[in-house]
Each structure stands twice: as structure tokens, then as C-alpha cells.
């Protein structure tokens, strides 16, 4: 048996008596043309290591395996074990490894024994915490190609100044180059979700902030965007107020949504310098 001999995904689901479960955020991509397009956008190739979160019926997994990548698939729902075991048998020997676990607590560095890519049609209920985990380390993927609900995708790639610009944009763009690469309508999924979706591709920046700087950036963005209608001098009062804001070359009367990523990084540096002097 090879990948080409596998039954269509809809048939595989029926054969194993599997229906989508809402609690696991299950909305399946059963059209291999779409999953192949995502695998192409991920730009993974022969021998490259990929973690896929939530293989479910395995449509994206099949497409990733077709590229020759080595896939480690982390699935929380044990019901998929027999169906995914069929996929292990159809794949090249050693090409697909299954782990039945919660991706939120998975240790990617140990799983991969080094670097690798992440490609996933993410379960929407844990999409943002998983992204934050990969953006802030300690393990950093070589690239991430991830399906989110469209509204989250827009928050990741948002330019400064707009309503979608917030904590997620600052953390994502300080650490990565983030680009929306594909819109996917709700009807492409089984069952269709209530919202539209989009694929975002993120690659780590060479000047990625250190863990300590990222930690401060997270504190500052939480405070600044927690009260986004307030001026920085009010929202950042407890973290240093006007002296901190001025040391970063920013206007204390500015609001968080007008401060670009470089401005937030200067704030983090000013906070670290003030701490070192204290
Ligand atoms: N990749 C499949 C596809 O494209 O058809 C399924 C995508 S579905 C949106 C999300 C998948 O993630 C489901 O298979 C679900 O069981 C799995 N999942 C949900 N929460 C998870 C978690 N915390 N860790 C690992 N897998 C999870």
C-alpha cells in the first residue's frame, strides 16, 4: 500500500465511523487540492522535518508526506489512531510518526531532536496559545504555516494604527516576518465553521529579541493594550510611566495602537536599562 492507494478522506472517515467533535475544534479539510496548496505554501521538501498539530483524518498529513517531508503528527483525539495508523503503513518507512498528546504541552525540541517546521490547520480554540508558544520559545520553528480563523490571521499581520493591531501583532512581528498567504472559505471545511479562515506563514527574524527582552515585551504590550484607549502614560504607569516612555523616545500622550513594533522594542530596552540601574 502507498499514499496513492489510500481511500478518499471522506471514505476513510466513514470506514472508521468518525464524526467531527466540536470540543476538539474539528473542521476537516477533505479536498486534497487545498491541503496540497498549503503544503506548497509551507515550502517543505524531501527530508525536512515537520511537526503537524492535529492531523485528524490526515488530509494535510498526506500532502506533507507527498513532498517527501518527515512528519511528526501530534493529535489529541485518540479516536483517530486506527485511521492514522493506516497512513503510517502507506507512507514511506519512518516518514510519519504519530504522537497522541496535547500539542500545548508537547516538547518540540525533544520530538524533533533539533530544528523543524510547523504546518497545521490549527484547532481554533488553541491556535493563539500555540502560536505564542512557538513565537516566544524556548523552541523556535524554522517556519510556521498555520491556518487560523481570518480575524486572528488579520491580528497577527496587522499594521500599526488599525483596530486589529495589538499584542499579537507586536509579538508576532517582533519575532517573525508574518504574511497572510491564502484565504480559505468556510465551505472548504467539513463541517464548515461559522467564520472564514486564512493561512499565515511566519519565518523567524534574524534579529529576533532574546528571551529576556521578549518577556519584557509581553509585559509591556499586555499593559499597553489592556487599556488601549488610554494614553501610554496612564496604561504604563505601574511599569515606569512617563520617564520610561520618554527614554524610549515616545510621546507619553500616545495610545498603544500608534506605537510601532520598533517603538515597543525601545520601551522594552528602556525598561531593562532602568532595571539594571535600580
Ligand atoms: N488537520 C486536519 C485537517 O486539516 O482536516 C484536522 C484539522 S482540525 C481544524 C484540528 C485538529 O486538531 C483536530 O484533529 C483536533 O482533534 C486536533 N486538536 C485539537 N486540540 C488539540 C491539541 N491541544 N493538541 C493536538 N491536537 C489537537
Amino acid at each position: 500500500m502507498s499514499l496513492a492507494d489510500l481511500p478518499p478522506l471522506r471514505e476513510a472517515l466513514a470506514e472508521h465511523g468518525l464524526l467531527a467533535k466540536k470540543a476538539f475544534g474539528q473542521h476537516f479539510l477533505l479536498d486534497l487540492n487545498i491541503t496540497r496548496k498549503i503544503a506548497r505554501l509551507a515550502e517543505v521538501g524531501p527530508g525536512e522535518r515537520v511537526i503537524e498539530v492535529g492531523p485528524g483524518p490526515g488530509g494535510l498529513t498526506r500532502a506533507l508526506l507527498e513532498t517527501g517531508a518527515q512528519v511528526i503528527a501530534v493529535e489529541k483525539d485518540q479516536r483517530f489512531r486506527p485511521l492514522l495508523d493506516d497512513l503510517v503503513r502507506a507512507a514511506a518507512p519512518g516518514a510519519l510518526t504519530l504522537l497522541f498528546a496535547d500539542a500545548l504541552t508537547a516538547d518540540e525540541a525533544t520530538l524533533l531532536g533539533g530544528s523543524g517546521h510547523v504546518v497545521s490547520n490549527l484547532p481554533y480554540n488553541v491556535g493563539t496559545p500555540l502560536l505564542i508558544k512557538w513565537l516566544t520559545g524556548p523552541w523556535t520553528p524554522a517556519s510556521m504555516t498555520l491556518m487560523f480563523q481570518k480575524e486572528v490571521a488579520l491580528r497577527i499581520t496587522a499594521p500599526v494604527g488599525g483596530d486589529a493591531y495589538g499584542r499579537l501583532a507586536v509579538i508576532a512581528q517582533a519575532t517573525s516576518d508574518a504574511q497572510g498567504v491564502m484565504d480559505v472559505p468556510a465551505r472548504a471545511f467539513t463541517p464548515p465553521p461559522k467564520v472564514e479562515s486564512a493561512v499565515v506563514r511566519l519565518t523567524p527574524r534574524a534579529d529576533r529579541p532574546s528571551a529576556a527582552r521578549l518577556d519584557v515585551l509581553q509585559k509591556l504590550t499586555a499593559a499597553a493594550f489592556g487599556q488601549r484607549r488610554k494614553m501610554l502614560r496612564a496604561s504604563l504607569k505601574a511599569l515606569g510611566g512617563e520617564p520610561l516612555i520618554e527614554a524610549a523616545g515616545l510621546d507619553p500622550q500616545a495610545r498603544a495602537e500608534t506605537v510601532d513594533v520598533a517603538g515597543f522594542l525601545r520601551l522594552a530596552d528602556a525598561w531593562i536599562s532602568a532595571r539594571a540601574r535600580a
Side-chain angles (χ1 to χ4, degrees):
M1 160 107 94
S2 72
L3 289 176
D5 301 322
L6 286 166
L9 290 157
R10 215 172 277 282
E11 256 176 51
L13 280 170
E15 204 175 285
H16 292 277
L18 290 164
L19 292 174
K21 259 196 190 168
K22 215 175 166 181
F24 286 112
Q26 290 175 347
H27 297 282
F28 304 133
L29 289 170
L30 303 181
D31 180 346
L32 286 172
N33 292 314
I34 296 179
T35 61
R36 284 180 182 134
K37 183 159 181 204
I38 297 170
R40 270 200 305 280
L41 289 167
E43 293 178 26
V44 293
E48 288 197 274
R49 282 181 295 188
V50 176
I51 289 193
E52 185 199 355
V53 169
L60 183 53
T61 325
R62 289 189 195 187
L64 290 168
L65 289 167
E66 284 171 1
T67 71
Q70 255 193 292
V71 181
I72 298 176
V74 184
E75 173 57 63
K76 195 171 169 186
D77 188 348
Q78 294 274 357
R79 296 179 309 147
F80 284 91
R81 194 185 283 273
L83 182 154
L84 290 169
D85 279 342
D86 289 346
L87 194 46
V88 172
R89 282 188 285 273
L96 174 60
T97 307
L98 302 176
L99 176 70
F100 286 88
D102 186 340
L104 281 168
T105 53
D107 175 354
E108 294 87 352
T110 308
L111 275 179
L112 287 171
S115 75
H117 305 265
V118 179
V119 184
S120 175
N121 170 14
L122 286 170
Y124 293 148
N125 43 351
V126 288
T128 308
L130 280 170
L131 176 65
I132 295 286
K133 177 188 179 196
W134 296 321
L135 290 174
T136 58
W139 180 77
T140 306
S143 75
M144 294 176 254
T145 307
L146 306 171
M147 177 92 72
F148 293 95
Q149 44 187 319
K150 180 91 186 268
E151 177 258 330
V152 177
L154 291 176
R155 285 202 282 123
I156 295 167
T157 56
V160 62
D163 279 348
Y165 183 72
R167 282 185 76 183
L168 198 53
V170 175
I171 302 297
Q173 296 170 31
T175 52
S176 322
D177 290 317
Q179 248 193 316
V181 289
M182 179 182 177
D183 284 347
V184 186
R187 65 172 185 281
F189 299 86
T190 304
K194 289 200 177 73
V195 292
E196 304 294 290
S197 299
V199 178
V200 179
R201 186 154 198 278
L202 302 108
T203 45
R205 295 175 62 95
D207 59 355
R208 208 174 169 276
S210 66
R213 223 169 151 218
L214 267 180
D215 202 42
V216 178
L217 193 63
Q218 295 218 65
K219 278 197 193 76
L220 287 164
T221 51
F225 288 105
Q227 306 180 66
R228 62 187 291 142
R229 301 278 162 241
K230 288 199 173 164
M231 293 178 193
L232 290 178
R233 70 172 180 218
S235 59
L236 296 182
K237 199 166 183 181
L239 289 168
E242 290 199 25
L244 174 85
I245 301 161
E246 280 166 0
L250 297 170
D251 176 0
Q253 298 198 35
R255 291 184 169 75
E257 66 215 28
T258 66
V259 177
D260 63 10
V261 175
F264 273 107
L265 284 167
R266 289 201 305 278
L267 267 176
D269 293 338
W271 191 91
I272 291 166
S273 302
R275 258 305 169 87
R277 283 195 302 272

